[in-house]
Amino acid sequence: MNALARAADLVGTVLLLLGCLQCLLGVIGTLRFPDVLSRSHAATKPQTLGMLLVLVGVALRLRHGTDVGTLALIAFFQFLTSPVASHLVARSAYRTGQTGSGGLLRDDLDPQLSDGDGAGERP
């Protein structure tokens, strides 16, 4: 094994460990945060970055064209679906009143979702 392959393996291992640590921090945040909105943030942001670090680490370890292409597709679909799923969970929690929205500084959805006079109007 040449020096470049060893360096790629070492960087790949470090990225794998950093990605796993980032995912672990996201899980801890999901368990510790008090409300749905904070939990959805903790479930999406660190998990996406952690998944990207893990995929880059695996790509550096494998270094084969087919494997790297498959990992790129996984990263693409992860970035495409994870924020959308988190948004849908937060939106459904808001609609069912489970967000604890008393702590919100500004509520942009209230005029759009209420049955009162402001329904359907744009600010």
Side-chain angles (χ1 to χ4, degrees):
M1 190 185 309
N2 62 11
L4 186 61
R6 285 185 188 165
D9 284 343
L10 180 65
V11 171
T13 303
V14 169
L15 288 176
L16 279 168
L17 290 174
L18 286 175
C20 290
L21 179 66
Q22 185 75 21
C23 289
L24 177 66
L25 290 174
V27 168
I28 291 171
T30 302
L31 293 174
R32 301 260 334 215
F33 284 151
D35 61 341
V36 176
L37 299 178
S38 299
R39 287 180 180 174
S40 68
H41 178 79
T44 304
K45 302 292 183 185
Q47 296 294 348
T48 305
L49 177 62
M51 178 65 76
L52 179 67
L53 291 174
V54 166
L55 291 175
V56 170
V58 170
L60 285 174
R61 298 277 301 182
L62 294 178
R63 295 186 293 271
H64 190 267
T66 306
D67 297 331
V68 173
T70 303
L71 293 171
L73 282 174
I74 292 170
F76 173 73
F77 286 117
Q78 177 72 22
F79 281 124
L80 186 70
T81 58
S82 181
V84 173
S86 175
H87 177 76
L88 290 175
V89 166
R91 187 76 173 240
S92 66
Y94 179 83
R95 285 180 183 232
T96 58
Q98 298 176 0
T99 59
S101 56
L104 294 178
L105 297 176
R106 186 172 142 188
D107 190 2
D108 290 334
L109 289 178
D110 189 35
Q112 295 175 4
L113 296 177
S114 68
D115 293 331
D117 297 328
E121 292 181 11
R122 294 188 177 229

